[in-house]
Amino acid sequence: MLDHGCGTAALAILIKKAQPGADVIGIDGDRKSLDAALAKTRKQGVNIPLFDAMVFDLPCRDNYFDRVFAGMLFHHLTTKDKILAAEEMYRIPKPGGELHVADFGRPQNALMACIARIMRHVILKRWSTISRGFCRALSTQQILSI
């Protein structure tokens, strides 16, 4: 399982704790975030390999992962990099693999900005309890047909 753009590994840690037997890997292009992720994984007592790589140029074989997660990643990227990152996300899951994406678009007014801020807080605090309802798993084939 890949946490694509893992940041400080909050999601990767939750997944590893929920599924201790799963192979969980984190990739992010921000060295400071990865340093924080390494400290968090050590503190939490979980073994999650972390790699420094840009999300639009992943050092992974085609069709390698059963599941790819990207939580709160895309709003950090330029339009060009979003396209490249999405292409990478289509390349790396195994046939029949799953891609899980959760993110927000840029709020268009003050009310939506307030709602987005509240939702970000809720998601970061309670990801494990709401992720099943917030994200819908799609097979690679379904994603490519969108």
Side-chain angles (χ1 to χ4, degrees), residues 16-143:
K16 185 66 174 177
K17 285 187 164 191
Q19 298 292 326
D23 293 325
V24 179
I25 295 171
I27 290 179
D28 201 285
D30 181 356
R31 187 72 244 166
K32 287 183 182 181
S33 291
L34 287 174
D35 289 343
L38 182 59
K40 283 173 68 174
T41 58
R42 286 179 176 162
K43 184 177 179 181
Q44 295 289 323
V46 293
N47 182 23
I48 300 172
L50 301 167
F51 296 95
D52 188 355
M54 297 306 289
V55 296
F56 46 81
D57 187 22
L58 298 173
C60 307
R61 294 190 317 256
D62 292 358
N63 306 316
Y64 185 76
F65 292 99
D66 294 312
R67 290 179 181 82
V68 177
F69 290 83
M72 308 311 286
L73 162 69
F74 281 91
H75 68 274
H76 292 289
L77 304 176
T78 65
T79 300
K80 177 184 172 188
D81 290 343
K82 287 176 187 177
I83 293 166
L84 294 171
E87 288 172 352
E88 285 290 87
M89 292 175 73
Y90 296 145
R91 179 183 67 79
I92 60 177
K94 292 178 180 177
E98 295 178 354
L99 174 59
H100 302 262
V101 179
D103 212 318
F104 293 95
R106 177 166 286 141
Q108 300 300 312
N109 58 50
L111 175 61
M112 293 309 294
C114 180
I115 291 170
R117 173 171 265 161
I118 292 167
M119 289 304 296
R120 283 188 189 109
H121 176 76
V122 169
I123 286 171
L124 292 175
K125 291 288 186 183
R126 304 182 69 197
W127 184 272
S128 62
T129 58
I130 68 169
S131 64
R132 287 181 211 92
F134 187 76
C135 301
R136 184 168 73 97
L138 297 175
S139 70
T140 306
Q141 201 167 30
Q142 289 170 310
I143 292 165

